[in-house]
């Protein structure tokens, strides 16, 4: 064994300030995660204290939403700390949000404005996440540029 220590490197370029696009993408992912937590808690409270149509379904839905909130919250934390792995979960979250927004837009009443907001947030976050400035800040290299 060598007594030399190998320096630990991160995949991102931590020099300089974090780009605003990366900060905004992280904030949108965090906002989505917090919205999922709020919806999950609301369903749990409704299921446990209220008079839902099906108590088991309300509790299961609440727990599911809270569990699903972990993906965008972890991605947001990774984006804030410039971890290259975080872009994948953040993009997946936005792609999963688009069909939900579409179904909300096709429904009646209050779900339509919520669907519009969700669609705008998801598309905006996707644009921010694939932006070259964000990609560079996370240290992600394109195909064929691994050695550069």
């Amino acid at each position: 064994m060598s007594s030399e220590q190998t320096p630990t490197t991160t995949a991102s370029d931590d020099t300089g300030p974090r780009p605003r696009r990366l900060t905004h993408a992280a904030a949108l992912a965090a906002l989505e995660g917090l919205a999922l937590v709020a919806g999950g808690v609301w369903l749990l409270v409704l299921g446990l204290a209220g008079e839902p149509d099906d108590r088991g379904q309300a509790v299961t839905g609440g727990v599911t939403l809270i569990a699903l909130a972990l993906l965008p919250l972890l991605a947001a934390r990774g984006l804030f700390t410039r971890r290259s792995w975080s872009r994948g979960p953040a993009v997946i979250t936005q792609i999963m949000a688009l069909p939900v927004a579409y179904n909300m837009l096709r429904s009646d009443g209050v779900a339509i404005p919520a669907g519009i907001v969700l669609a705008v947030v998801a598309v905006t976050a996707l644009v921010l996440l694939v932006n070259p400035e964000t990609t560079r800040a996370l240290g992600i290299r394109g195909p064929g540029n691994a050695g550069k």
Side-chain angles (χ1 to χ4, degrees), residues 101-140:
Y102 177 75
N103 283 329
M104 291 171 84
L105 290 170
R106 295 193 52 186
S107 67
D108 296 330
V110 181
I112 292 173
I116 292 169
V117 169
L118 180 59
V120 167
V121 168
V123 169
T124 302
L126 276 171
V127 168
L128 292 171
L129 288 166
V130 299
N131 186 281
E133 184 180 341
T134 302
T135 303
R136 276 192 303 277
L138 293 173
I140 299 172

